[in-house]
Amino acid sequence: MDFLKSAVASAIAKSSSFPYTITDRVDQEGIWILNNATKKDDGSACSLFVFDIAAQRSLLPLAKNAARKLRTLRHPGVIKVLDVIENETHIYIATEKVTPLQWHTKRKSLSEGTIRWGLHSVASTLKFINNEAASVHGNVRAGSVYTSESGEWKLAGFEVLSSMNEDDAMIYTYGSLVPDSGRYAPPEVANGGWSVVKKNSLSAPDSFGLGTLIYEAFNGSFMGTDQLAQARSIPANMVQSYKRLVHTNPKLRLSAGHFVEQGKKAGGFFETPLIHITEGADSLGLKNEQERDQFLDELEGLTDDFPEDFFKMKILPELLKSVEFGGGGPKVFGAMLKIGSKMSDDEFETRLLPVILRLFASPDRAMRVCLLDHLPGMIDRIPQKDVNAKIFPAMTAGFTDTAPVVREQTVKAVLTVISKLSDRTINGELLRYLAKTANDEQPGIRTNTTICLGKIARNLGSNSRSKVLIAAFSRSLRDPFVHARNAGLMAFSATSDIFSDEDCATKILPAICLSLIDKEKFVRDTANKALDTYLTKVRAYASTMPETAAPVEAAGMTPANAVAARVGGQNDASWAGWAISSFTNKLSAAKGEMSTGVANGQALAQTRSLPGSGRATPSIVASVERPVTTRLESATASQRTSVEQASEPAVDDDAMDAWGEMDDDGDNFFDATTNKAGTPAPATATFDDGGEPDFAGWLAAQSKPKAPRPLPKGLSKPANGSSLNVRPTPLRSVSSGPGAPATKVVPVVVKKTSAAPVPTKKVDLRPKEAEADDDWGAWD
């Protein structure tokens, strides 16, 4: 029969004219069956209290009284009624979505702070019913209280709620019909019936009911009034007031209003941050700065066991309005994010993200810094498209802000957003801004930029990575700020695996060596560690290289024999003996005129046979014929160059140029956009030195002649002061000596002048006794 009744009720609820859809049954409390439901017009969730008239016809006056009182009595602590529907078989009361409080009290899942907060709400509601409405609830218990979606305690159970101004009040006649009324009835009612309410204080029955609610909330269950004498888990500072609520003499009972007043005294049991926040949340936008700071301090003082739903549904909307329109500032935003951390990703994206995106465009520096500080905690919840389209464009203003703290926080925030930026943004716009902060006037910002580049090195494109990082880190090694220099060395050490072996040997190691004699010891120590890292890498690479790159022409000659033949037949292992023997072996076979052909401090030519170290020797200048390049060869070379350039990925030239070169002059350290345009260096004909150092040129540049000497042929200044013109020079093969393995082509730079040619001066190859010591001393 019960199944049939439920089926009929469900069929009625699912009819097309019924505005609600029942989803599932929750519980049965008293005369009502509680169901979860949704509104058909908007799909919003709600609760539906259903009373079956046929099954409980004798209790129909209670159901009708409850429906009438819920519609007419409006208070924040009373369950919110959406609609009441009555027909011949059922009474439906649609309310906000609620959950029975007994679900939580029986499991003891509520914290003490939450229970105090809920009792404060119920007691305040009873105060309103007794004082302002001049009524008696008559059914206060845990079963008459529900929790809303926001976690607030809402009072219901209005089956016998009656105004004492009426002579035929419901409670006098039907009070005993309420289920379990005997177990919860005050002692005087249990002995003399509900009519004794007229003889005592109007609030006495509800005060006793509030005491039973306190007992159930803290202890989990209530079997009868004899248990009330033992407070058990009730907090110590509440016990005295609790005992006055459940006093057997109704005239000595503490009313709900007085109970609230005692709890609100200094040090009272209702003096908790959660209750203060509840009372102050509605007027947050109207508070002055001092009151708002006090409110936020209390919010920060809450532990993680606060009712999350209440803050999501009640506090968060007020915080959002305050931070966006009420000038709440960064402190309010921090509290807002603390609540947002408890949200699901969908809730965060729906409720918080739109406000956050709008705040990033705020001109308030304090708010922008606050957003950057909290960005690590929310970046994972922000979609990548929003980071690229809205957040990073708003961040770029911080790179050039006049306030140093904004620039510094913006640089730090790069590490947070780098994982969600597109490659085009990273290698273009981001590098241009980092080039500016790398030359910032604030040393801390320069240091943080170097650290930032070291951490995002692997996010940079392969085309821009080497040039940008080597230039940036090398420049930081010349920074006057000691921590910037140390950061550059540490960045080099952390990124050693991303540079080519050639760059490590030719660009990075020379830059690091300058720091080996830094004035600060800890910088020198860091430089030594970085040097060891790169030396290990370069040595490992060198061990994989062949012993020689010279071609082996003689049949059966091994590479080792070829090296020995190239070096010479001397057995002296010292560098000086090696250099002298090499020079004498090659000198007798050299052809051409001997000249001191040094112009502008650089050697004009040198032979392939010169050793990698040793005493410098005069250079050999030979006249050779000009090679003929056909038009077809030129076109082929041009096409090959075009193909090589086309194979490289596109790189943002502006972003690359902003970094300059690694060997930029230290005087222009702070100017990322300095145009170093000057007089272009004269063009010189390139030549292959075969990997040998130009000792002859170096020695000629270091020597200081006692008297002016005439310039070699082709280098004399023209009479009319015209500049030197460089033209392609002929090439001629030069024999390196009888023991040399190959013939070398030596280019010669010929200067064209308007003056008459000057005969080439013969150079005496005999060593000079007087100047020998000075020359070697200069080498040392």
Side-chain angles (χ1 to χ4, degrees), residues 350-415:
T350 303
R351 304 184 64 182
L352 281 185
L353 185 58
V355 177
I356 292 173
L357 295 179
R358 289 195 296 268
L359 290 177
F360 263 101
S362 171
D364 185 3
R365 285 193 177 97
M367 178 56 66
R368 287 159 58 188
V369 171
C370 178
L371 288 167
L372 296 176
D373 285 340
H374 290 89
L375 193 56
M378 55 185 178
I379 188 64
D380 293 335
R381 296 185 168 195
I382 303 177
Q384 184 175 4
K385 60 181 180 62
D386 289 330
V387 174
N388 282 275
K390 297 180 180 179
I391 291 182
F392 183 75
M395 281 177 55
T396 55
F399 288 108
T400 56
D401 197 282
T402 56
V405 64
V406 178
R407 300 199 301 273
E408 185 171 9
Q409 290 301 120
T410 305
V411 172
K412 291 180 181 179
V414 171
L415 300 179

Side-chain angles (χ1 to χ4, degrees), residues 96-115:
E96 59 181 316
K97 186 174 178 58
V98 293
T99 303
L101 177 64
Q102 287 183 325
W103 282 17
H104 304 287
T105 59
K106 290 179 180 179
R107 296 195 305 265
K108 296 185 177 181
S109 60
L110 299 175
S111 66
E112 181 180 320
T114 303
I115 294 175

